[in-house]
Amino acid sequence: MIPLPPHLTLAEGPAARPPVALFHGFLESPAMWQALPPRLWAGRDAVALPLPGHAPWLCSGAALEDLLRDDAFLDSYAALLERLRPGEPWRLVGHSTGAMVALALARRAPHLVSDICAVAPLFSGRVAGRGMQGALARLPILGPMGFRWMMARWLARPDGFRRGVAGVTRRPGARLEMFDGVRADLVAADPAQIYRFGQWIGAKDMTADLHALDRPVHAIICDRDPVVVPQHQLALISAARGASATVLRSGHLPMLETPAAFARVFLAWRNRHGAAAVDPGFAQRHSDRRFEAVAI
């Protein structure tokens, strides 16, 4: 029997409107979506799903290995979405690693997916964990120990946690308090299991799958992202058929850094209509890409 993951209900709506499922990124939790304005999901069934190893999806180490083997956790997502809305396709939203998971689910169970909104998308683990810190994290013994130490220090105090979150942003005044619920979930998780899922990320490459993906993808690209470089995010457009993009002047967390612009872009995607003008400089540098809407 396929285990069903826990889910957080963000909103409920009429059956006539397509449901939305949201996936957070690595070292995040479903609480990040819950902290955003309810109007983003109003009038629709919307659920937030945890990544494996992240609270509230708590299980034994052996159970996590079963979920990661052959990407079986994707079947758990599919079983849950089918149970929640039998026979209906879902609109998927994924942030960072969550976008990778959404893309993988669309390839695994295309009948359950109508389209995808990928925010600051990561689709290949090869770009994750770059530099000296990434190299140290991959060491067999020191890697897990160092990760556990880093997690404990980062989560020890609310102010320290917010400083860590601020490190991946690039705009002043980011609403870091909206991530406080994420800290509570990370404290409840097992660092060893989060580290194990990080290994799954490092070994995953969606490049070949993107060429075969037959579902529309709209990427919200963050042009100042220090975590997933914009060039990697832009590559999603050329690799996936029917993909388009919105560019935000933001770091890795546009929903905290530029919430008004993020809301406009997200609602445009949710309501299936475009908006706004293209940043001339950015568009000129990437004139071979397909832009649908850009908010400044």
Side-chain angles (χ1 to χ4, degrees):
M1 181 176 180
I2 298 175
L4 299 182
H7 67 281
L8 178 64
T9 299
L10 300 174
E12 295 181 348
R17 292 182 173 177
V20 178
L22 300 102
F23 298 90
H24 62 83
F26 186 63
L27 292 177
E28 297 172 351
S29 83
M32 66 171 284
W33 303 116
Q34 190 177 39
L36 299 185
R39 68 189 181 96
L40 296 179
W41 344 112
R44 286 161 174 79
D45 281 345
V47 297
L49 306 177
L51 297 182
H54 293 66
W57 200 351
L58 305 177
C59 60
S60 68
L64 178 63
E65 291 301 326
D66 289 340
L67 289 172
L68 296 182
R69 188 175 299 113
D70 299 324
D71 298 350
F73 69 93
L74 297 174
D75 299 326
S76 296
Y77 289 141
L80 174 66
L81 297 183
E82 179 65 33
R83 173 174 291 191
L84 293 175
R85 292 283 290 263
E88 294 188 43
W90 288 70
R91 308 188 73 191
L92 305 184
V93 180
H95 174 244
S96 192
T97 300
M100 176 191 287
V101 169
L103 294 165
L105 180 57
R107 286 287 290 137
R108 186 91 158 199
H111 63 289
L112 288 176
V113 179
S114 63
D115 65 330
I116 300 168
C117 178
V119 184
L122 173 73
F123 60 87
S124 174
R126 291 179 299 181
V127 306
R130 301 182 305 273
M132 181 63 71
Q133 287 185 332
L136 290 174
R138 289 188 291 270
L139 292 176
I141 297 176
L142 294 179
M145 292 176 57
F147 183 80
R148 182 180 292 274
W149 176 85
M150 179 275 295
M151 286 280 291
R153 183 173 180 179
W154 180 39
L155 300 174
R157 295 172 53 89
D159 56 340
F161 174 76
R162 289 185 183 182
R163 283 196 298 270
V165 174
V168 301
T169 66
R170 287 297 181 267
R171 290 180 70 116
R175 300 182 60 190
L176 304 179
E177 72 280 359
M178 296 175 68
F179 251 44
D180 288 350
V182 172
R183 175 177 175 267
D185 283 339
L186 291 174
V187 168
D190 181 351
Q193 294 200 8
I194 295 179
Y195 180 86
R196 179 65 184 90
F197 186 69
Q199 292 180 310
W200 178 89
I201 297 170
K204 191 69 175 179
D205 188 347
M206 292 290 301
T207 304
D209 296 88
L210 290 175
H211 289 289
L213 186 67
D214 61 355
R215 293 295 183 268
V217 179
H218 188 75
I220 298 180
I221 294 170
C222 302
D223 71 349
R224 305 175 185 181
D225 195 331
V227 178
V228 184
V229 295
Q231 291 79 3
H232 177 82
Q233 300 176 42
L234 279 164
L236 176 66
I237 306 168
S238 58
R241 292 182 292 169
S244 58
T246 296
V247 181
L248 293 180
R249 289 179 176 171
S250 173
H252 194 56
L253 299 170
M255 63 287 291
L256 307 188
E257 300 177 58
T258 176
F262 176 81
R264 288 198 304 271
V265 171
F266 182 86
L267 289 171
W269 170 81
R270 191 202 70 176
N271 297 330
R272 295 181 181 274
H273 62 76
V278 173
D279 167 9
F282 199 96
Q284 186 176 20
R285 293 193 298 273
H286 304 283
S287 58
D288 60 326
R289 309 302 190 200
R290 299 186 294 281
F291 292 93
E292 188 174 274
V294 174
I296 304 302

mmCIF file of all heavy atoms in Angstrom, residues 152-193:
data_model
loop_
_atom_site.group_PDB
_atom_site.id
_atom_site.type_symbol
_atom_site.label_atom_id
_atom_site.label_comp_id
_atom_site.label_asym_id
_atom_site.label_seq_id
_atom_site.Cartn_x
_atom_site.Cartn_y
_atom_site.Cartn_z
ATOM 1 N N ALA A 152 21.532 22.920 13.730
ATOM 2 C CA ALA A 152 21.323 23.249 15.146
ATOM 3 C C ALA A 152 21.645 24.723 15.410
ATOM 4 O O ALA A 152 20.907 25.418 16.120
ATOM 5 C CB ALA A 152 22.185 22.352 16.028
ATOM 6 N N ARG A 153 22.732 25.207 14.842
ATOM 7 C CA ARG A 153 23.109 26.610 15.053
ATOM 8 C C ARG A 153 22.119 27.547 14.393
ATOM 9 O O ARG A 153 21.741 28.584 14.977
ATOM 10 C CB ARG A 153 24.518 26.831 14.499
ATOM 11 C CG ARG A 153 25.041 28.231 14.741
ATOM 12 C CD ARG A 153 26.486 28.351 14.325
ATOM 13 N NE ARG A 153 26.983 29.711 14.570
ATOM 14 C CZ ARG A 153 28.223 30.100 14.314
ATOM 15 N NH1 ARG A 153 29.102 29.226 13.825
ATOM 16 N NH2 ARG A 153 28.594 31.330 14.546
ATOM 17 N N TRP A 154 21.684 27.222 13.191
ATOM 18 C CA TRP A 154 20.770 28.077 12.437
ATOM 19 C C TRP A 154 19.405 28.189 13.118
ATOM 20 O O TRP A 154 18.800 29.255 13.157
ATOM 21 C CB TRP A 154 20.624 27.515 11.028
ATOM 22 C CG TRP A 154 19.712 28.288 10.116
ATOM 23 C CD1 TRP A 154 19.583 29.644 10.024
ATOM 24 C CD2 TRP A 154 18.821 27.725 9.160
ATOM 25 N NE1 TRP A 154 18.655 29.970 9.055
ATOM 26 C CE2 TRP A 154 18.173 28.813 8.516
ATOM 27 C CE3 TRP A 154 18.517 26.424 8.764
ATOM 28 C CZ2 TRP A 154 17.225 28.619 7.502
ATOM 29 C CZ3 TRP A 154 17.595 26.240 7.757
ATOM 30 C CH2 TRP A 154 16.949 27.313 7.147
ATOM 31 N N LEU A 155 18.937 27.075 13.678
ATOM 32 C CA LEU A 155 17.591 27.030 14.238
ATOM 33 C C LEU A 155 17.530 27.373 15.726
ATOM 34 O O LEU A 155 16.437 27.462 16.292
ATOM 35 C CB LEU A 155 16.988 25.637 14.024
ATOM 36 C CG LEU A 155 16.842 25.177 12.569
ATOM 37 C CD1 LEU A 155 16.376 23.728 12.517
ATOM 38 C CD2 LEU A 155 15.875 26.083 11.807
ATOM 39 N N ALA A 156 18.672 27.576 16.356
ATOM 40 C CA ALA A 156 18.701 27.764 17.810
ATOM 41 C C ALA A 156 17.908 28.978 18.267
ATOM 42 O O ALA A 156 17.234 28.926 19.307
ATOM 43 C CB ALA A 156 20.148 27.865 18.288
ATOM 44 N N ARG A 157 17.972 30.074 17.526
ATOM 45 C CA ARG A 157 17.310 31.309 17.932
ATOM 46 C C ARG A 157 16.547 31.902 16.739
ATOM 47 O O ARG A 157 17.026 31.829 15.598
ATOM 48 C CB ARG A 157 18.325 32.331 18.442
ATOM 49 C CG ARG A 157 19.039 31.921 19.710
ATOM 50 C CD ARG A 157 20.159 32.901 20.034
ATOM 51 N NE ARG A 157 19.681 34.282 20.058
ATOM 52 C CZ ARG A 157 19.190 34.873 21.149
ATOM 53 N NH1 ARG A 157 19.120 34.198 22.294
ATOM 54 N NH2 ARG A 157 18.782 36.127 21.109
ATOM 55 N N PRO A 158 15.381 32.496 16.977
ATOM 56 C CA PRO A 158 14.618 33.101 15.889
ATOM 57 C C PRO A 158 15.405 34.155 15.114
ATOM 58 O O PRO A 158 15.314 34.218 13.879
ATOM 59 C CB PRO A 158 13.403 33.715 16.598
ATOM 60 C CG PRO A 158 13.247 32.909 17.844
ATOM 61 C CD PRO A 158 14.646 32.557 18.266
ATOM 62 N N ASP A 159 16.189 34.980 15.818
ATOM 63 C CA ASP A 159 16.929 36.025 15.119
ATOM 64 C C ASP A 159 18.025 35.424 14.235
ATOM 65 O O ASP A 159 18.269 35.903 13.124
ATOM 66 C CB ASP A 159 17.509 37.034 16.102
ATOM 67 C CG ASP A 159 18.391 36.394 17.167
ATOM 68 O OD1 ASP A 159 18.265 35.173 17.399
ATOM 69 O OD2 ASP A 159 19.206 37.113 17.787
ATOM 70 N N GLY A 160 18.677 34.363 14.730
ATOM 71 C CA GLY A 160 19.682 33.697 13.911
ATOM 72 C C GLY A 160 19.067 33.033 12.689
ATOM 73 O O GLY A 160 19.659 33.035 11.600
ATOM 74 N N PHE A 161 17.888 32.472 12.856
ATOM 75 C CA PHE A 161 17.187 31.857 11.728
ATOM 76 C C PHE A 161 16.863 32.908 10.672
ATOM 77 O O PHE A 161 17.086 32.692 9.476
ATOM 78 C CB PHE A 161 15.910 31.179 12.216
ATOM 79 C CG PHE A 161 15.043 30.649 11.110
ATOM 80 C CD1 PHE A 161 15.383 29.482 10.451
ATOM 81 C CD2 PHE A 161 13.879 31.318 10.733
ATOM 82 C CE1 PHE A 161 14.585 28.981 9.426
ATOM 83 C CE2 PHE A 161 13.086 30.830 9.708
ATOM 84 C CZ PHE A 161 13.435 29.661 9.065
ATOM 85 N N ARG A 162 16.365 34.055 11.120
ATOM 86 C CA ARG A 162 16.015 35.100 10.156
ATOM 87 C C ARG A 162 17.251 35.619 9.435
ATOM 88 O O ARG A 162 17.185 35.929 8.235
ATOM 89 C CB ARG A 162 15.279 36.248 10.859
ATOM 90 C CG ARG A 162 13.868 35.879 11.312
ATOM 91 C CD ARG A 162 13.149 37.087 11.884
ATOM 92 N NE ARG A 162 11.825 36.741 12.394
ATOM 93 C CZ ARG A 162 10.961 37.602 12.907
ATOM 94 N NH1 ARG A 162 11.315 38.899 12.988
ATOM 95 N NH2 ARG A 162 9.782 37.221 13.340
ATOM 96 N N ARG A 163 18.362 35.712 10.134
ATOM 97 C CA ARG A 163 19.601 36.152 9.467
ATOM 98 C C ARG A 163 19.995 35.157 8.381
ATOM 99 O O ARG A 163 20.469 35.544 7.314
ATOM 100 C CB ARG A 163 20.727 36.312 10.477
ATOM 101 C CG ARG A 163 20.646 37.584 11.316
ATOM 102 C CD ARG A 163 21.966 37.870 12.013
ATOM 103 N NE ARG A 163 22.333 36.798 12.937
ATOM 104 C CZ ARG A 163 21.977 36.760 14.214
ATOM 105 N NH1 ARG A 163 21.225 37.733 14.719
ATOM 106 N NH2 ARG A 163 22.352 35.765 14.994
ATOM 107 N N GLY A 164 19.825 33.869 8.666
ATOM 108 C CA GLY A 164 20.135 32.858 7.663
ATOM 109 C C GLY A 164 19.243 32.970 6.448
ATOM 110 O O GLY A 164 19.703 32.864 5.302
ATOM 111 N N VAL A 165 17.945 33.193 6.675
ATOM 112 C CA VAL A 165 17.010 33.360 5.566
ATOM 113 C C VAL A 165 17.365 34.614 4.764
ATOM 114 O O VAL A 165 17.325 34.612 3.531
ATOM 115 C CB VAL A 165 15.559 33.432 6.083
ATOM 116 C CG1 VAL A 165 14.595 33.744 4.945
ATOM 117 C CG2 VAL A 165 15.161 32.126 6.761
ATOM 118 N N ALA A 166 17.736 35.676 5.472
ATOM 119 C CA ALA A 166 18.105 36.921 4.791
ATOM 120 C C ALA A 166 19.291 36.714 3.859
ATOM 121 O O ALA A 166 19.441 37.436 2.869
ATOM 122 C CB ALA A 166 18.422 38.001 5.818
ATOM 123 N N GLY A 167 20.127 35.727 4.155
ATOM 124 C CA GLY A 167 21.312 35.478 3.336
ATOM 125 C C GLY A 167 21.006 35.049 1.917
ATOM 126 O O GLY A 167 21.879 35.138 1.048
ATOM 127 N N VAL A 168 19.795 34.563 1.642
ATOM 128 C CA VAL A 168 19.455 34.146 0.283
ATOM 129 C C VAL A 168 18.562 35.175 -0.407
ATOM 130 O O VAL A 168 18.061 34.927 -1.501
ATOM 131 C CB VAL A 168 18.784 32.764 0.270
ATOM 132 C CG1 VAL A 168 19.701 31.723 0.896
ATOM 133 C CG2 VAL A 168 17.429 32.779 0.967
ATOM 134 N N THR A 169 18.331 36.316 0.254
ATOM 135 C CA THR A 169 17.551 37.387 -0.354
ATOM 136 C C THR A 169 18.476 38.465 -0.894
ATOM 137 O O THR A 169 19.646 38.531 -0.530
ATOM 138 C CB THR A 169 16.572 38.013 0.669
ATOM 139 O OG1 THR A 169 17.330 38.679 1.686
ATOM 140 C CG2 THR A 169 15.694 36.945 1.311
ATOM 141 N N ARG A 170 17.934 39.321 -1.752
ATOM 142 C CA ARG A 170 18.733 40.396 -2.338
ATOM 143 C C ARG A 170 18.001 41.733 -2.370
ATOM 144 O O ARG A 170 18.400 42.642 -3.069
ATOM 145 C CB ARG A 170 19.163 40.015 -3.770
ATOM 146 C CG ARG A 170 20.249 38.935 -3.816
ATOM 147 C CD ARG A 170 21.520 39.427 -3.162
ATOM 148 N NE ARG A 170 22.596 38.451 -3.200
ATOM 149 C CZ ARG A 170 22.849 37.579 -2.222
ATOM 150 N NH1 ARG A 170 22.073 37.547 -1.151
ATOM 151 N NH2 ARG A 170 23.847 36.735 -2.313
ATOM 152 N N ARG A 171 16.913 41.831 -1.604
ATOM 153 C CA ARG A 171 16.191 43.102 -1.523
ATOM 154 C C ARG A 171 15.991 43.453 -0.058
ATOM 155 O O ARG A 171 15.664 42.595 0.758
ATOM 156 C CB ARG A 171 14.839 43.014 -2.229
ATOM 157 C CG ARG A 171 14.931 42.921 -3.747
ATOM 158 C CD ARG A 171 13.557 42.848 -4.373
ATOM 159 N NE ARG A 171 12.842 44.114 -4.251
ATOM 160 C CZ ARG A 171 12.485 44.857 -5.297
ATOM 161 N NH1 ARG A 171 12.790 44.476 -6.510
ATOM 162 N NH2 ARG A 171 11.814 45.969 -5.113
ATOM 163 N N PRO A 172 16.190 44.725 0.309
ATOM 164 C CA PRO A 172 15.974 45.122 1.706
ATOM 165 C C PRO A 172 14.495 45.069 2.063
ATOM 166 O O PRO A 172 13.620 45.198 1.211
ATOM 167 C CB PRO A 172 16.504 46.562 1.734
ATOM 168 C CG PRO A 172 16.357 47.051 0.326
ATOM 169 C CD PRO A 172 16.616 45.847 -0.545
ATOM 170 N N GLY A 173 14.243 44.863 3.338
ATOM 171 C CA GLY A 173 12.861 44.882 3.799
ATOM 172 C C GLY A 173 12.089 43.610 3.551
ATOM 173 O O GLY A 173 10.859 43.603 3.633
ATOM 174 N N ALA A 174 12.775 42.509 3.224
ATOM 175 C CA ALA A 174 12.073 41.240 3.013
ATOM 176 C C ALA A 174 11.324 40.847 4.284
ATOM 177 O O ALA A 174 11.837 41.004 5.396
ATOM 178 C CB ALA A 174 13.066 40.148 2.635
ATOM 179 N N ARG A 175 10.127 40.325 4.138
ATOM 180 C CA ARG A 175 9.270 40.006 5.285
ATOM 181 C C ARG A 175 9.672 38.657 5.884
ATOM 182 O O ARG A 175 8.983 37.652 5.746
ATOM 183 C CB ARG A 175 7.815 40.013 4.838
ATOM 184 C CG ARG A 175 7.367 41.365 4.288
ATOM 185 C CD ARG A 175 5.916 41.357 3.895
ATOM 186 N NE ARG A 175 5.058 41.046 5.040
ATOM 187 C CZ ARG A 175 3.748 40.792 4.947
ATOM 188 N NH1 ARG A 175 3.164 40.798 3.763
ATOM 189 N NH2 ARG A 175 3.037 40.516 6.012
ATOM 190 N N LEU A 176 10.811 38.653 6.561
ATOM 191 C CA LEU A 176 11.389 37.416 7.070
ATOM 192 C C LEU A 176 10.522 36.752 8.131
ATOM 193 O O LEU A 176 10.590 35.534 8.316
ATOM 194 C CB LEU A 176 12.782 37.700 7.638
ATOM 195 C CG LEU A 176 13.784 38.356 6.671
ATOM 196 C CD1 LEU A 176 15.101 38.587 7.379
ATOM 197 C CD2 LEU A 176 13.976 37.503 5.429
ATOM 198 N N GLU A 177 9.704 37.523 8.835
ATOM 199 C CA GLU A 177 8.849 36.956 9.868
ATOM 200 C C GLU A 177 7.851 35.956 9.298
ATOM 201 O O GLU A 177 7.334 35.097 10.018
ATOM 202 C CB GLU A 177 8.115 38.068 10.617
ATOM 203 C CG GLU A 177 7.005 38.771 9.839
ATOM 204 C CD GLU A 177 7.519 39.835 8.874
ATOM 205 O OE1 GLU A 177 8.752 40.044 8.828
ATOM 206 O OE2 GLU A 177 6.684 40.445 8.177
ATOM 207 N N MET A 178 7.598 36.035 8.003
ATOM 208 C CA MET A 178 6.662 35.105 7.382
ATOM 209 C C MET A 178 7.220 33.690 7.343
ATOM 210 O O MET A 178 6.486 32.740 7.080
ATOM 211 C CB MET A 178 6.310 35.587 5.975
ATOM 212 C CG MET A 178 5.569 36.912 5.948
ATOM 213 S SD MET A 178 5.272 37.535 4.273
ATOM 214 C CE MET A 178 4.100 36.314 3.683
ATOM 215 N N PHE A 179 8.522 33.543 7.594
ATOM 216 C CA PHE A 179 9.155 32.222 7.587
ATOM 217 C C PHE A 179 9.256 31.620 8.989
ATOM 218 O O PHE A 179 9.840 30.544 9.148
ATOM 219 C CB PHE A 179 10.549 32.318 6.966
ATOM 220 C CG PHE A 179 10.639 31.670 5.612
ATOM 221 C CD1 PHE A 179 9.656 31.865 4.658
ATOM 222 C CD2 PHE A 179 11.723 30.858 5.279
ATOM 223 C CE1 PHE A 179 9.743 31.271 3.411
ATOM 224 C CE2 PHE A 179 11.814 30.251 4.037
ATOM 225 C CZ PHE A 179 10.822 30.468 3.094
ATOM 226 N N ASP A 180 8.717 32.269 9.996
ATOM 227 C CA ASP A 180 8.849 31.747 11.356
ATOM 228 C C ASP A 180 8.204 30.373 11.506
ATOM 229 O O ASP A 180 8.690 29.521 12.259
ATOM 230 C CB ASP A 180 8.248 32.730 12.364
ATOM 231 C CG ASP A 180 9.108 33.982 12.546
ATOM 232 O OD1 ASP A 180 10.250 33.985 12.044
ATOM 233 O OD2 ASP A 180 8.633 34.938 13.188
ATOM 234 N N GLY A 181 7.109 30.138 10.804
ATOM 235 C CA GLY A 181 6.474 28.818 10.844
ATOM 236 C C GLY A 181 7.353 27.749 10.232
ATOM 237 O O GLY A 181 7.317 26.583 10.652
ATOM 238 N N VAL A 182 8.151 28.132 9.250
ATOM 239 C CA VAL A 182 9.099 27.194 8.644
ATOM 240 C C VAL A 182 10.126 26.755 9.681
ATOM 241 O O VAL A 182 10.487 25.571 9.757
ATOM 242 C CB VAL A 182 9.790 27.842 7.430
ATOM 243 C CG1 VAL A 182 10.926 26.956 6.910
ATOM 244 C CG2 VAL A 182 8.773 28.114 6.330
ATOM 245 N N ARG A 183 10.600 27.700 10.484
ATOM 246 C CA ARG A 183 11.573 27.348 11.531
ATOM 247 C C ARG A 183 10.998 26.305 12.470
ATOM 248 O O ARG A 183 11.686 25.333 12.824
ATOM 249 C CB ARG A 183 11.974 28.600 12.314
ATOM 250 C CG ARG A 183 12.894 28.307 13.502
ATOM 251 C CD ARG A 183 13.332 29.579 14.212
ATOM 252 N NE ARG A 183 14.104 29.255 15.410
ATOM 253 C CZ ARG A 183 13.591 29.126 16.627
ATOM 254 N NH1 ARG A 183 12.266 29.311 16.811
ATOM 255 N NH2 ARG A 183 14.351 28.819 17.658
ATOM 256 N N ALA A 184 9.748 26.465 12.894
ATOM 257 C CA ALA A 184 9.128 25.499 13.803
ATOM 258 C C ALA A 184 9.083 24.109 13.177
ATOM 259 O O ALA A 184 9.337 23.102 13.853
ATOM 260 C CB ALA A 184 7.719 25.962 14.175
ATOM 261 N N ASP A 185 8.797 24.027 11.881
ATOM 262 C CA ASP A 185 8.760 22.722 11.212
ATOM 263 C C ASP A 185 10.160 22.124 11.099
ATOM 264 O O ASP A 185 10.344 20.907 11.279
ATOM 265 C CB ASP A 185 8.142 22.866 9.820
ATOM 266 C CG ASP A 185 6.631 23.006 9.864
ATOM 267 O OD1 ASP A 185 6.024 22.600 10.872
ATOM 268 O OD2 ASP A 185 6.052 23.512 8.881
ATOM 269 N N LEU A 186 11.141 22.947 10.798
ATOM 270 C CA LEU A 186 12.502 22.426 10.684
ATOM 271 C C LEU A 186 13.030 21.930 12.024
ATOM 272 O O LEU A 186 13.772 20.942 12.088
ATOM 273 C CB LEU A 186 13.424 23.504 10.118
ATOM 274 C CG LEU A 186 13.186 23.872 8.646
ATOM 275 C CD1 LEU A 186 14.063 25.055 8.247
ATOM 276 C CD2 LEU A 186 13.456 22.673 7.732
ATOM 277 N N VAL A 187 12.652 22.605 13.108
ATOM 278 C CA VAL A 187 13.046 22.152 14.444
ATOM 279 C C VAL A 187 12.462 20.768 14.720
ATOM 280 O O VAL A 187 13.102 19.928 15.358
ATOM 281 C CB VAL A 187 12.587 23.162 15.516
ATOM 282 C CG1 VAL A 187 12.729 22.579 16.921
ATOM 283 C CG2 VAL A 187 13.399 24.451 15.407
ATOM 284 N N ALA A 188 11.266 20.508 14.217
ATOM 285 C CA ALA A 188 10.594 19.228 14.455
ATOM 286 C C ALA A 188 11.134 18.103 13.575
ATOM 287 O O ALA A 188 10.851 16.929 13.832
ATOM 288 C CB ALA A 188 9.087 19.379 14.229
ATOM 289 N N ALA A 189 11.884 18.438 12.548
ATOM 290 C CA ALA A 189 12.387 17.430 11.610
ATOM 291 C C ALA A 189 13.698 16.829 12.098
ATOM 292 O O ALA A 189 14.357 17.353 12.996
ATOM 293 C CB ALA A 189 12.566 18.056 10.228
ATOM 294 N N ASP A 190 14.087 15.727 11.474
ATOM 295 C CA ASP A 190 15.342 15.061 11.763
ATOM 296 C C ASP A 190 16.387 15.535 10.751
ATOM 297 O O ASP A 190 16.230 15.296 9.549
ATOM 298 C CB ASP A 190 15.160 13.541 11.660
ATOM 299 C CG ASP A 190 16.436 12.763 11.968
ATOM 300 O OD1 ASP A 190 17.508 13.382 12.096
ATOM 301 O OD2 ASP A 190 16.350 11.520 12.067
ATOM 302 N N PRO A 191 17.443 16.221 11.181
ATOM 303 C CA PRO A 191 18.449 16.716 10.233
ATOM 304 C C PRO A 191 19.029 15.618 9.350
ATOM 305 O O PRO A 191 19.359 15.874 8.190
ATOM 306 C CB PRO A 191 19.516 17.322 11.144
ATOM 307 C CG PRO A 191 18.803 17.669 12.404
ATOM 308 C CD PRO A 191 17.749 16.613 12.573
ATOM 309 N N ALA A 192 19.141 14.408 9.888
ATOM 310 C CA ALA A 192 19.694 13.311 9.089
ATOM 311 C C ALA A 192 18.799 12.997 7.896
ATOM 312 O O ALA A 192 19.285 12.659 6.809
ATOM 313 C CB ALA A 192 19.872 12.067 9.964
ATOM 314 N N GLN A 193 17.481 13.110 8.100
ATOM 315 C CA GLN A 193 16.569 12.827 7.002
ATOM 316 C C GLN A 193 16.563 13.961 5.980
ATOM 317 O O GLN A 193 16.481 13.711 4.763
ATOM 318 C CB GLN A 193 15.165 12.576 7.547
ATOM 319 C CG GLN A 193 15.070 11.310 8.391
ATOM 320 C CD GLN A 193 13.651 10.798 8.512
ATOM 321 O OE1 GLN A 193 12.734 11.277 7.863
ATOM 322 N NE2 GLN A 193 13.459 9.799 9.354
#
